[in-house]
């Protein structure tokens, strides 16, 4: 799902202040986006209706928006990768091709990642999350990244991912391991 809207002007003729956030988007049975929730828990109704690709679904998206008298005015909406982690025995091969980390943070029930992948944009990169283990209330994840062999490292492209934590309510903390061009990085987050 991708929505781009031309920048609108406020009533006084100034450009609107656009906020970019990762959000959760909900669609109804008619594929209409009914609400968008920001990670701080605020539930927004939309100024203008938007149609999703599928009905009765929840999406994690990068969103550019402005507050229009309590309603959300959308400027940009793009679905990002966000699926539940798989168990290590599900796939025998777990590639961890290197990438750059711009930032990592925990909000809205997700571990969120702003990453830089080196690409020519000819073939899509594959991502997934692996739940390696749970030990003494701490869950350990690995970011799986498969860079296509035909994709040269010509420039860096921004990518956003969100790892859902809803199935780990009993855990006190979570750690994710990411292979970077500078080596392996382990990042731990408090969950409660």
């Amino acid at each position: 799902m991708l929505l781009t809207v031309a920048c609108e002007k406020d009533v006084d003729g100034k450009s609107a202040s656009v906020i970019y956030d990762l959000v959760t988007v909900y669609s109804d049975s008619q594929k209409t986006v009914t609400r968008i929730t920001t990670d701080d828990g605020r539930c927004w109704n939309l100024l203008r209706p938007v149609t999703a690709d599928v009905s009765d679904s929840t999406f994690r998206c990068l969103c550019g928006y402005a507050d229009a008298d309590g309603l959300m005015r959308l400027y940009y909406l793009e679905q990002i990768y966000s699926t539940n982690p798989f168990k290590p025995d599900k796939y025998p091969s777990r590639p961890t091709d290197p990438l750059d980390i711009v930032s990592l943070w925990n909000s809205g029930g997700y571990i969120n990642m702003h990453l830089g992948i080196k690409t020519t944009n000819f073939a899509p990169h594959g991502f997934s999350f692996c739940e390696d283990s749970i030990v003494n209330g701490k869950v350990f994840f690995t970011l799986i990244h498969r860079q296509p062999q035909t994709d040269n490292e010509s420039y860096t492209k921004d990518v956003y991912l969100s790892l859902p934590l809803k199935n780990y309510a009993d855990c006190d903390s979570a750690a994710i391991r990411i292979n970077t061009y500078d080596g392996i990085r382990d990042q731990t987050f408090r969950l409660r």
Side-chain angles (χ1 to χ4, degrees):
M1 174 172 51
L2 173 62
L3 167 76
T4 53
V5 180
C7 289
E8 300 181 34
K9 300 285 185 181
D10 286 338
V11 175
D12 63 1
K14 295 180 183 174
S15 295
S17 295
V18 178
I19 300 166
Y20 284 88
D21 268 331
L22 295 180
V23 299
T24 305
V25 176
Y26 305 89
S27 67
D28 65 14
S29 59
Q30 280 75 46
K31 299 183 181 181
T32 302
V33 173
T34 56
R35 70 185 189 281
I36 295 177
T37 303
T38 54
D39 283 359
D40 63 4
R42 183 168 180 185
C43 187
W44 291 83
N45 292 318
L46 301 180
L47 183 65
R48 293 190 179 88
V50 176
T51 302
D53 293 335
V54 293
S55 60
D56 296 319
S57 295
T58 302
F59 307 95
R60 190 73 172 154
C61 293
L62 176 62
C63 180
Y65 67 95
D67 186 339
D69 297 323
L71 297 174
M72 181 180 278
R73 177 179 296 173
L74 283 176
Y75 290 90
Y76 181 82
L77 191 64
E78 179 181 11
Q79 187 174 352
I80 66 167
Y81 181 84
S82 180
T83 61
N84 289 320
F86 64 82
K87 302 290 186 184
D89 58 353
K90 184 172 180 181
Y91 298 107
S93 170
R94 293 184 290 155
T96 56
D97 292 328
L99 43 70
D100 292 322
I101 297 174
V102 178
S103 61
L104 303 169
W105 70 100
N106 176 13
S107 67
Y110 298 87
I111 294 176
N112 301 295
M113 300 165 220
H114 178 188
L115 307 171
I117 58 170
K118 298 197 187 303
T119 183
T120 55
N121 224 19
F122 288 135
H125 288 230
F127 293 100
S128 58
F129 306 112
C130 179
E131 176 198 307
D132 297 317
S133 63
I134 299 177
V135 179
N136 297 326
K138 184 175 185 177
V139 58
F140 295 86
F141 300 105
T142 298
L143 173 64
I144 306 302
H145 171 226
R146 174 173 283 138
Q147 181 170 342
Q149 290 181 350
T150 59
D151 194 16
N152 295 322
E153 297 181 341
S154 299
Y155 70 95
T156 301
K157 176 181 177 182
D158 287 328
V159 174
Y160 290 88
L161 310 173
S162 286
L163 190 161
L165 297 171
K166 64 184 174 191
N167 295 332
Y168 303 96
D170 294 337
C171 293
D172 296 322
S173 60
I176 186 157
R177 173 170 281 204
I178 300 174
N179 186 21
T180 74
Y181 287 99
D182 295 326
I184 298 294
R185 177 166 168 191
D186 292 303
Q187 181 74 42
T188 299
F189 298 93
R190 298 287 307 154
L191 301 183
R192 311 186 226 190

